[in-house]
Amino acid sequence: MGAREVGLPDVVGSGALPSRVTIWEVGARDGLQNESVVVPVAVKLEFLDRLAAAGLSVLEATSFVHPKWVPQLADAAELLAGLTQRPGVVYPVLVPNERGLDRALEAGVTHIAIFASATETFASRNLNRTLDSQFEMFEPTVSRALAAGLDVRGYVSMCFGDPWEGPVARSQVVAVGERLLEMGCSQLSLGDTIGVATPGQVESLLEGFRDVSPLAVHFHDTYGQALSNTLAALRCGVTTVDSSAGGLGGCPYAESATGNLATEDLVWMLDGLGVETGVDLDKLVETSAWMAEQLGRPSPSRVVRALSK
């Protein structure tokens, strides 16, 4: 059963929303990185190609993190070597440090992302650095990437809450984001890594970044708030949203982090609001249902479950 067969309700806008939203699809990287059983490269390549065929124009393909820490992505170089890139689609990769950048440059990557922490404890656990010294690692990575003509995105994790430290001060998140921008990052993605945010918090944080553009948001759905938080962000002027096909994902360094916002659930909402994404929902649902079969379990996405019956 597809979206057309179900019949979407009439398209009705709601408040001041952007006319178009760019979906930054993280399923192949953030979605798969926490899987305990290694997914074959051939399956990952087909997943990426299916996502591109569904109309997604930004596909975060993999990460050059050390295989010891994320075994699922140990095949990053092999995957990129086998990837047939579709015209009009960009395939960013996550790089943790200069060694990761070296590998990305060897693979011919044109877009990278770095991953910073807004809290002291997560910086220690995820990066083996202090909150301040993490920037010493990022600075040469970013400067070399920019010199090589690469685009650099900056992720900021634990923006709304930290499982060890609790609530995170807005000023602390803004300070981390501003340092990444000063280094030359072209975009910030503000992450609710453990999924504790609510819309009021989203509006408050974005107010702290009111003079910063462009911003993206990255919500996890631990407490079922990802869609409402996304809508709040869109009303604040955000036009890029991270999501994961089928709602796959988590965080290997934060056990309380559950799946990302499902791309299908996001597209269903945006279609109903009359916000353009360029995504074919039926093809996307077929892709996520297929991937769920490869993983041997049902998709967490409500839209995938509803349209795959």
Side-chain angles (χ1 to χ4, degrees):
M1 182 182 295
R4 293 186 183 86
E5 294 171 286
V6 173
L8 282 168
D10 290 340
V11 174
V12 179
S14 175
L17 295 175
S19 60
R20 186 177 182 88
V21 163
T22 298
I23 296 176
W24 189 291
E25 173 59 47
V26 300
R29 196 275 301 172
D30 196 17
L32 294 180
Q33 71 176 4
N34 219 30
E35 293 295 321
S36 57
V37 177
V38 175
V39 178
V41 173
V43 172
K44 293 178 182 177
L45 288 170
E46 183 170 352
F47 187 37
L48 285 165
D49 196 57
R50 283 171 174 255
L51 291 170
L56 289 154
S57 60
V58 184
L59 301 176
E60 195 165 271
T62 187
S63 170
F64 281 110
V65 68
H66 195 289
K68 175 183 176 182
W69 303 115
V70 186
Q72 182 66 249
L73 303 180
D75 57 8
E78 182 183 357
L79 180 139
L80 291 173
L83 180 65
T84 300
Q85 299 192 17
R86 291 190 177 231
V89 179
V90 294
Y91 298 84
V93 303
L94 190 68
V95 301
N97 49 36
E98 283 194 272
R99 176 55 188 144
L101 176 62
D102 289 339
R103 297 174 64 199
L105 291 171
E106 290 170 7
V109 167
T110 58
H111 292 69
I112 67 165
I114 59 173
F115 200 86
S117 172
T119 68
E120 193 76 55
T121 306
F122 194 61
S124 175
R125 287 174 174 261
N126 187 37
L127 302 170
N128 198 29
R129 297 277 179 145
T130 65
L131 183 62
D132 190 58
S133 69
Q134 64 179 327
F135 299 102
E136 297 172 4
M137 179 173 64
F138 299 142
E139 283 171 351
T141 303
V142 174
S143 62
R144 284 184 54 209
L146 294 175
L150 274 60
D151 181 83
V152 183
R153 183 192 221 208
Y155 280 103
V156 184
S157 59
M158 299 295 177
C159 290
F160 299 92
D162 178 293
W164 302 280
E165 298 183 18
V168 182
R170 183 176 80 173
S171 59
Q172 191 166 303
V173 180
V174 172
V176 171
E178 287 179 341
R179 290 191 68 173
L180 294 177
L181 291 171
E182 288 167 2
M183 286 182 194
C185 289
S186 64
Q187 183 185 71
L188 290 180
S189 176
L190 305 176
D192 183 18
T193 313
I194 57 173
V196 295
T198 54
Q201 289 178 292
V202 173
E203 293 168 0
S204 175
L205 180 60
L206 292 175
E207 174 63 20
F209 283 99
R210 62 185 176 277
D211 297 323
V212 175
S213 181
L215 289 174
V217 288
H218 184 116
F219 295 118
H220 286 236
D221 206 31
T222 311
Y223 295 94
Q225 302 297 298
L227 272 179
S228 58
N229 289 337
T230 298
L231 185 57
L234 297 180
R235 286 177 172 157
C236 291
V238 170
T239 59
T240 299
V241 179
D242 298 0
S243 63
S244 175
L248 297 173
C251 177
Y253 303 101
E255 293 181 2
S256 56
T258 57
N260 293 282
L261 168 63
T263 307
E264 296 81 6
D265 298 2
L266 173 63
V267 172
W268 180 277
M269 180 182 77
L270 295 178
D271 281 354
L273 289 167
V275 177
E276 293 291 329
T277 64
V279 176
D280 184 316
L281 183 58
D282 286 341
K283 287 184 178 180
L284 182 58
V285 167
E286 290 173 6
T287 296
S288 290
W290 169 82
M291 178 52 82
E293 291 177 2
Q294 309 306 308
L295 298 175
R297 64 171 184 275
S299 170
S301 165
R302 292 172 176 81
V303 169
V304 172
R305 294 202 300 266
L307 297 183
S308 298
K309 293 179 179 178

